[in-house]
């Protein structure tokens, strides 16, 4: 609605156009999804009408939306032509980027294959944020990957480490994380040292098994070429010619983080991953990841990659959960600051009155 100079209300009409593009018959099923679910999702999100007939797709709607939807289908068609399965994550990601007027070249992402799993599945970045993260790992000695759960921080780090190990770029892989329970005390665990720390390091094992295979992992671990250890065991060591991954870094203290970063020797590469929103430290304890992100950003050779809810590649519901928590925490943080400032002003007024 728009007001004229005379105060009269004028209804502005949005120009509706239509465009047509070809969809190869052998790609149509993969692109449209089961029961045309991808088509229906794009129609709802982008406010367009899609009509498919005889290998052509007609797009009807506002000009800007039609152009964006055409680009979405061009990207999906390119993925399908390469033999990829079109996933819900692919569609959701392209829609979210289009709605924010940002372009995402998923074909470029699809070309960046880091390695293959034991089952032959390619491991590659699936979002622009993940692509930037992988490129930072390649180009820097130390990379911090910070973001919510499900953004592939640990998995991509493991893929990069295993690839470097297979290519003889490093002689060993060292993985570590703080041994802290997620909000509950488990007490003393039975068994030897390895049995005690295994529950904390299980996510690292899972990634290793998927990419390297259990047999290869066990053989290299017995030779000492792959090491998985709690962070406390890093003190006093110098780690040369190694790929070193510190996972769950938000649960380190500032002294632990400094101790870890000063272990790095020649020919080594380090990846530090963490989620600022999932700290399990004791109340009042400062996170080493928080401190490092404040004081190391200007240091050459160190990169910080911030991943967001848009980079979540787990089940789409995980992305919605992450976004809901982000909104809740932002709302609460604003609410908690207002009373503090009000009470602070009150105290200042009281002191003046005295």
């Amino acid at each position: 609605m728009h007001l004229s100079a005379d105060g009269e209300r004028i209804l502005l009409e949005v120009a509706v156009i239509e465009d047509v593009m070809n969809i190869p018959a052998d790609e149509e099923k993969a692109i449209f999804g089961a029961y045309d679910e991808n088509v229906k999702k794009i129609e709802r999100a982008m406010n367009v009408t899609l009509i498919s007939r005889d290998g052509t797709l007609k797009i009807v709607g506002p000009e800007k939306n039609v152009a964006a939807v055409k680009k979405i289908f061009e990207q999906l068609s390119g993925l399908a032509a390469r033999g990829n399965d079109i996933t819900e994550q692919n569609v959701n990601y392209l829609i979210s980027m289009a709605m924010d007027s940002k372009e995402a070249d998923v074909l470029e992402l699809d070309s960046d294959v880091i390695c293959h799993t034991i089952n032959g599945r390619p491991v590659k970045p699936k979002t622009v944020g993940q692509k930037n993260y992988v490129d930072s790992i390649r180009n820097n000695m130390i990379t911090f990957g910070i973001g919510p759960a499900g953004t592939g921080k640990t998995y991509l780090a493991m893929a990069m480490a295993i690839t470097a190990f297979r290519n003889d770029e490093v002689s060993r892989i060292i993985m570590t994380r703080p041994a802290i329970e997620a909000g509950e005390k488990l007490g003393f665990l039975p068994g030897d040292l390895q049995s005690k720390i295994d529950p904390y390091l299980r996510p690292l094992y899972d990634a290793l098994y998927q990419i390297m295979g259990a047999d290869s992992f066990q053989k290299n671990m017995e030779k000492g070429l792959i090491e998985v250890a709690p962070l406390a065991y890093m003190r006093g060591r110098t780690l040369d010619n190694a790929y070193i991954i510190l996972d769950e870094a938000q649960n380190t203290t500032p002294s632990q983080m400094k101790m870890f970063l000063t272990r790095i020797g020649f020919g080594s590469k380090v990846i530090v991953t963490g989620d600022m929103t999932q700290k399990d430290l004791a109340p009042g304890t400062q996170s080493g990841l928080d401190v490092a992100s404040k004081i190391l950003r200007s240091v050459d050779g160190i990169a910080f990659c911030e991943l967001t809810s848009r980079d979540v590649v787990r089940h789409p519901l995980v992305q919605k959960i992450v976004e809901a928590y982000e909104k809740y925490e932002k709302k609460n943080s604003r609410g908690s600051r207002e009373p503090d400032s009000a009470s602070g002003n009150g105290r200042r007024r009281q002191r003046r009155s005295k």
Side-chain angles (χ1 to χ4, degrees):
M1 199 72 70
H2 179 70
L3 288 178
S4 68
D6 299 327
E8 297 179 349
R9 289 188 293 182
I10 302 173
L11 182 64
L12 296 178
E13 294 185 359
V14 178
V16 175
I17 68 165
E18 65 178 55
D19 200 351
V20 177
M21 64 180 297
N22 294 323
I23 300 291
D26 56 337
E27 298 174 7
E28 193 171 290
K29 184 177 179 181
I31 295 171
F32 292 171
Y35 305 106
D36 292 342
E37 60 181 7
N38 295 341
V39 171
K40 295 172 184 175
K41 177 174 287 191
I42 294 170
E43 281 185 320
R44 289 193 301 269
M46 300 300 295
N47 191 29
V48 296
T49 300
L50 300 172
I51 304 168
S52 174
R53 185 177 293 115
D54 300 328
T56 61
L57 180 67
K58 182 187 290 186
I59 310 169
V60 182
E63 184 175 0
K64 184 178 179 181
N65 295 22
V66 168
V69 169
K70 186 173 183 180
K71 289 180 180 177
I72 289 175
F73 277 101
E74 286 172 349
Q75 297 277 310
L76 294 176
S77 179
L79 288 176
R82 296 181 181 182
N84 290 288
D85 293 328
I86 305 299
T87 65
E88 189 174 0
Q89 186 272 330
N90 295 140
V91 178
N92 289 342
Y93 181 64
L94 287 169
I95 290 174
S96 68
M97 294 297 281
M99 292 178 73
D100 288 345
S101 300
K102 296 179 180 178
E103 291 191 19
D105 189 352
V106 296
L107 299 181
E108 181 184 352
L109 302 179
D110 186 66
S111 301
D112 189 0
V113 178
I114 301 169
C115 63
H116 290 80
T117 67
I118 193 68
N119 296 323
R121 184 176 64 85
V123 178
K124 50 196 171 187
K126 296 182 179 180
T127 69
V128 172
Q130 288 190 348
K131 171 66 173 171
N132 293 337
Y133 175 49
V134 169
D135 287 342
S136 292
I137 293 172
R138 290 183 176 127
N139 299 327
N140 294 278
M141 184 176 176
I142 301 175
T143 299
F144 285 80
I146 302 172
T151 50
K153 304 181 298 294
T154 303
Y155 195 80
L156 289 174
M158 293 299 309
M160 293 294 289
I162 292 170
T163 300
F165 179 71
R166 287 173 173 170
N167 294 339
D168 294 324
E169 296 171 18
V170 294
S171 60
R172 55 183 171 157
I173 299 174
I174 299 172
M175 296 160 294
T176 184
R177 64 188 296 180
I180 295 181
E181 296 100 336
E184 54 183 321
K185 300 298 181 183
L186 303 179
F188 293 103
L189 297 174
D192 58 13
L193 173 64
Q194 196 65 39
S195 299
K196 291 177 187 292
I197 66 174
D198 274 357
Y200 300 103
L201 305 173
R202 180 53 53 187
L204 301 178
Y205 287 130
D206 291 343
L208 277 168
Y209 289 157
Q210 284 188 25
I211 299 173
M212 183 172 279
D215 291 340
S216 178
F217 165 66
Q218 289 296 341
K219 289 177 182 177
N220 284 296
M221 194 165 185
E222 289 170 4
K223 295 176 182 177
L225 301 179
I226 294 179
E227 181 181 344
V228 185
L231 182 59
Y233 284 72
M234 295 294 107
R235 187 176 295 280
R237 303 179 62 182
T238 300
L239 307 174
D240 292 319
N241 198 30
Y243 225 105
I244 312 159
I245 299 172
L246 171 58
D247 195 29
E248 300 290 344
Q250 75 276 4
N251 289 328
T252 63
T253 63
S255 60
Q256 285 178 322
M257 178 63 77
K258 180 181 178 182
M259 177 273 292
F260 170 76
L261 292 174
T262 53
R263 301 304 95 202
I264 304 167
F266 292 101
S268 291
K269 191 177 283 282
V270 173
I271 307 172
V272 180
T273 69
D275 179 357
M276 297 291 202
T277 66
Q278 296 195 29
K279 299 171 188 172
D280 300 310
L281 294 166
T285 304
Q286 195 172 20
S287 168
L289 185 58
D290 282 334
V291 174
S293 66
K294 292 174 183 176
I295 66 177
L296 297 178
R297 287 185 182 269
S298 60
V299 178
D300 290 338
I302 300 179
F304 284 81
C305 288
E306 307 280 352
L307 300 168
T308 68
S309 57
R310 184 179 282 131
D311 299 302
V312 172
V313 293
R314 290 180 185 166
H315 192 282
L317 187 57
V318 174
Q319 185 173 12
K320 295 176 183 177
I321 291 170
V322 169
E323 290 172 348
Y325 269 96
E326 286 177 351
K327 290 178 183 177
Y328 174 78
E329 287 161 2
K330 285 180 182 177
K331 182 180 178 182
N332 276 10
S333 64
R334 285 197 300 267
S336 63
R337 282 197 298 269
E338 290 172 1
D340 290 342
S341 60
S343 61
N345 293 335
R347 285 193 296 270
R348 285 194 290 273
R349 283 195 295 271
Q350 289 172 5
R351 284 196 290 270
R352 290 195 199 100
S353 64
K354 289 180 181 179

